[in-house]
Amino acid sequence: MGIQDDDIASVRAATDIVAVISEHVALKRVGRRWTGLCPFHSEKSGSFSVNAEEKLYYCFGCGAKGDVITFVREIEHLDFVGAVEKLAATAGITLRYDDENQNEGRKKRAKLLDAVGKAVEWYHERLLSAKDAAPARGYLRSRGLTGDDVRAYKVGWAPEGWDELARALKVPNDVFVEAGLGFMNSRGRPTDAFRGRVLFPIFDVSGDPVGFGGRIMPGNDGAKYKNSVDSAIYNKSRLLYGLNWSKADIVRADEAIVCEGYTDVIGFAKAGVPRAVATCGTALTEEHVKVLRSFARRVVLAFDADAAGQNAAERVYAWERQYDLDVAVAAFPGGVDPAELAQTDPGALATAVAEAKPFLKFRLDRVLAAAPLDTPEQRVRAAESAMAVVQEHPSDLVQDQYLLEVAAHCRIDPDQLRGRRFTAPVVPGAKGGKAKLAARRNGPTNDEPPPSDEWYDDDQPPPRGTLVRPDRPRSRRPARDTAETEALRLYVWRRDEIDPWLDEALFRDPASLAAYRALVATSSVADAVAMAGADDPEAADLLQRLAVEETEADAHDVLTRLVDEAATSAMAGLKAEARVADDPFAVGEAIAWLNLRIMELREPDTNEESLGQLLGWLTGRPEEEA
Ligand code: ZN
């Protein structure tokens, strides 16, 4: 895709990975590798390692891993081509592209960004100084935005006239239209897309201006919010307002806050919680989740979790599972929105985020809080509604934890709740029973994902919520490595010492076997990673970890342990075979022989001889029996 493979390889070869990473992290040399604090998660002791020869890095804390191109992509938030281009520029390599169109596409993108950038400046100037922008300035002040805020976020004002921007900007019509700044009217004249609105410029993750979110002035007719249309530079399913400013704090805190409005994002930043983003006129999509997951493992929803309807719960649980993500919901006192709270009680914003509840807990609490418990019938009804929410969760272990809570709250024997399916009673007049039920106390919500443009209303905020995750990421370093892992590590670092004795038959773990095969088939760990990664990500991960774990282990000890494990496992196989064999004696003999060899293997005097015999026996067997 794009850059020619030869050139990508040259860039990799010409780049010193330690030098590149050292621009971001202090690395110190330990043996043949380098270690330091991981730039991708916050930590106090270094879990991050670099193998300079293989040009690979790996973090035992968060699992970040890859080569120098991956590193630049992740740390600078660039796409693949962008990362290679950056490294090529440093290395003085001129890149050739497979596709002539690639160059054209990049030029066009630059033109569109340039046009939007000019529009941002023009609208911003207009807000700061034009007479007709006075009500807009007043409105922003009422929302707690100072002049400094307005400048920092480049907020603008689109005047009422139908072509004022078009006339001021003087960009070619096709650029004007494709950049989403306007359209050609029926008489073929360029016409502004935004009129009579306060504009919040939207920047992509690298800080390029790509579009606008426009809010109508209170009291005026029209959709409350209007956003740029999708274009070559603006994709509303992926874009998150504020991510360009928030990304550093999101990575540092390993947490992203998703709120509804542009002023909420600004409010969070002003309250000292500068890690909020907002979707740009859509519900949260899977694309958004993927983008956020590349920055943090926890997402706190700072808006009404039920607003996106019943489907949202299922989607949230699916995202949590698929992306190893924790979704929590922050509740805000009295249904005020973050922008308001930032003005009246900034400390409460941080508190709400810190006290965010897991998604299920948040939903459950709302159902329980809404249900009266005065009579036995009411308590049963409350339990049924609550269990319907609990049973949406995909894990039965998690379900059972919450079942106990429901049982205690509703004074019902937990065993009466176990093993039953519950569906929420439908509330009369509601389209989606479960969501409505949960929302009863807080007023109406929508079951459908909100349509673009008009899904939130910062004058009458819906109830709010946030999310926390209960624990920090688990370390990727297993308590004790298996002999197979030890053997592979030795193979990576001191190949000659163990190579002659290794054999596929000694590997029973599929990922270890795939890693071994890839190492045998290639001449460098980096190539082995590439080969294994194609169909076995687990093997590729293992290889990348081993590439930064130098070992002092003795080859003979490692081999002994490996053979011991393989022989013990083979023994278990033989015993199983003996139970169904036609000739149990033949198998019995083999078991006796193997038993003796394993015992000898564990004795220093006989270890050497037994090792040879067992290796011969194990590796002489057909692979499928191993
Ligand atoms: Zn890390």
Side-chain angles (χ1 to χ4, degrees), residues 38 40-41 59 61-64:
C38 177
F40 300 111
H41 82 281
C59 172
C62 68

Side-chain angles (χ1 to χ4, degrees), residues 6-80:
D6 287 357
D7 290 353
I8 294 170
S10 311
V11 168
R12 244 191 223 112
T15 304
D16 176 356
I17 189 170
V18 173
V20 170
I21 293 177
S22 295
E23 287 171 26
H24 303 271
V25 192
L27 292 176
K28 70 168 192 274
R29 190 163 192 143
V30 181
R32 280 162 63 194
R33 62 204 171 86
W34 299 75
T35 66
L37 294 178
C38 177
F40 300 111
H41 82 281
S42 85
E43 61 174 4
K44 294 202 177 73
S45 63
S47 313
F48 186 81
S49 292
V50 183
N51 180 326
E53 295 150 39
E54 298 284 355
K55 297 174 187 284
L56 295 172
Y57 68 92
Y58 191 93
C59 172
F60 294 96
C62 68
K65 57 173 182 282
D67 63 7
V68 69
I69 297 172
T70 323
F71 183 84
V72 171
R73 285 183 66 175
E74 305 273 314
I75 202 96
E76 312 259 359
H77 304 294
L78 296 169
D79 62 9
F80 182 84

Side-chain angles (χ1 to χ4, degrees), residues 133-145:
R137 292 194 290 268
Y139 163 74
L140 288 165
R141 265 195 302 279
S142 77
R143 297 290 295 165
L145 268 68

